[in-house]
Amino acid sequence: MVTRLRDGDEEAFVTLVSRYQQPMLRLARCFVPSQAVAEEAVQDTWLGLVRGIEQFEGRSSFKTWLFRILVNRAQSAGSREHASTSLDQLHAVDPARFTSQGQWAEPVDRWIEESEERLDDATWAPILKSALEDLPPRQRQVVILRDVEGLSNDEACVVLGITVGNQRVLLHRGRSQLREILDAKMAKG
Amino acid sequence: MLSLRRRDMVCQHAVELVTDYLEDSLSRRDRRRFEAHLRACPNCTAYVEQIRLTIKLAGTIDTDELTPEAKQELGDLYRRWREE
């Protein structure tokens, strides 16, 4: 793909944009206050890619490199319009769900046994998508890169410029909160 | 009242270790304690399973195909950028 882009292959470019446009918009949106600014950052990234493809050295995966450019662009766009900070949740699970001894007060649902057919991807993907949008931006960034895009721990740290420890904390909170949202939906049926 | 032994892990603590566990970043000792807790606790076992499913579902969020018009526009944009 990189070789084809270096050769100016238009079809390769279109394929690449088709594949990454939406994941990139989703990621950019974590840094900037509006969809319009996110679109601008993504467009900037594509332009940067076309002009800078020679600089790709293959030390990281192409996807990591592309996302890193995007995060740079989005961060500088985002800091111009200071994004509001939302409250991060501090506990993986609401403390009210435990006894004073720290044990579960009520049994935890078995999603699989109880709702096997309700767990098919087509039903849950849209719910998860909207739950993802409700996460605080920094948690959302990490969950998108790790769980939606399937980047490794190290790759996600490179893209976001954060430490492994910090990444893990954000991932933990993000996943915990997603689980909670799904669990609430599951209970309602 | 039954008092917990010091080495026993309680559920509220266990749920905070799930990500470290799945990322394989617990110390050997903590990993042993965590796994011992799971063996004894069906609720935390169900909880870990829920987290695994959450991760799996996140991986199924897909992206819509671009329309032919959008692809056409992209091609035009690409040629313009390369000419500039």
Side-chain angles (χ1 to χ4, degrees):
Chain A
M1 180 60 85
V2 174
T3 317
R4 285 174 64 196
L5 282 174
R6 282 191 178 135
D7 293 345
D9 184 334
E10 182 182 318
E11 202 188 303
F13 178 74
V14 174
T15 307
L16 197 68
V17 179
S18 309
R19 163 74 185 81
Y20 286 117
Q21 179 79 2
Q22 286 193 25
M24 283 167 68
L25 273 174
R26 193 180 289 139
L27 183 61
R29 198 65 185 77
C30 305
F31 294 89
V32 301
S34 72
Q35 187 69 12
V37 181
E39 280 170 12
E40 218 173 281
V42 171
Q43 172 122 342
D44 255 13
T45 303
W46 291 126
L47 180 59
L49 172 89
V50 171
R51 304 245 162 100
I53 190 70
E54 301 302 331
Q55 282 146 36
F56 177 66
E57 293 168 345
R59 274 190 301 209
S60 56
S61 79
F62 179 73
K63 190 170 172 178
T64 303
W65 184 68
L66 185 64
F67 281 2
R68 180 69 206 147
I69 301 176
L70 173 69
V71 168
N72 276 332
R73 298 278 198 281
Q75 269 171 339
S76 51
S79 60
R80 282 200 299 269
E81 303 174 50
H82 195 69
S84 69
T85 48
S86 42
L87 283 174
D88 279 11
Q89 80 172 26
L90 292 174
H91 305 281
V93 175
D94 183 352
R97 292 209 50 193
F98 297 98
T99 64
S100 58
Q101 307 275 292
Q103 277 137 350
W104 291 96
E106 301 280 339
V108 176
D109 286 342
R110 271 166 196 71
W111 287 357
I112 294 201
E113 287 167 26
E114 287 174 12
S115 44
E116 193 149 20
E117 79 273 20
R118 284 196 283 143
L119 255 180
D120 69 296
D121 302 349
T123 318
W124 288 99
I127 292 169
L128 206 74
K129 221 172 185 169
S130 86
L132 195 61
E133 282 162 19
D134 290 338
L135 290 186
R138 295 182 62 223
Q139 295 175 25
R140 193 167 8 127
Q141 293 156 17
V142 175
V143 172
I144 286 173
L145 291 176
R146 292 296 311 279
D147 296 342
V148 181
E149 295 303 325
L151 261 56
S152 73
N153 178 349
D154 291 340
E155 288 172 331
C157 290
V158 168
V159 169
L160 297 173
I162 58 177
T163 63
V164 176
N166 196 355
Q167 190 251 181
R168 207 179 300 129
V169 170
L170 292 166
L171 182 65
H172 180 62
R173 293 189 185 157
R175 281 178 179 171
S176 304
Q177 201 168 331
L178 279 187
R179 184 214 65 88
E180 191 163 295
I181 296 168
L182 289 180
D183 197 37
K185 300 268 183 195
M186 203 77 73
K188 269 189 246 159
Chain B
M1 192 168 65
L2 209 136
S3 73
L4 289 163
R5 281 173 297 171
R6 230 178 90 80
R7 64 189 181 84
D8 282 339
M9 186 177 278
V10 296
C11 306
Q12 197 167 8
H13 181 205
V15 297
E16 297 300 342
L17 298 180
V18 173
T19 305
D20 287 351
Y21 173 68
L22 295 176
E23 295 277 286
D24 207 10
S25 61
L26 287 177
S27 68
R28 268 174 59 189
R29 181 172 165 272
D30 283 347
R31 187 177 185 87
R32 264 201 315 271
R33 291 177 66 213
F34 183 82
E35 286 173 344
H37 178 81
L38 284 192
R39 278 194 298 275
C41 179
N43 284 328
C44 284
T45 302
Y47 180 85
V48 172
E49 194 52 41
Q50 288 185 351
I51 292 282
R52 283 190 204 276
L53 276 164
T54 302
I55 297 167
K56 181 177 162 269
L57 286 171
T60 65
I61 293 182
D62 55 351
T63 51
D64 307 326
E65 264 285 300
L66 288 185
T67 62
E69 295 78 40
K71 287 188 180 175
Q72 176 72 43
E73 278 173 30
L74 276 172
D76 295 346
L77 188 65
Y78 183 66
R79 272 183 310 254
R80 209 163 62 233
W81 279 349
R82 283 189 58 88
E83 279 159 17
E84 274 170 17

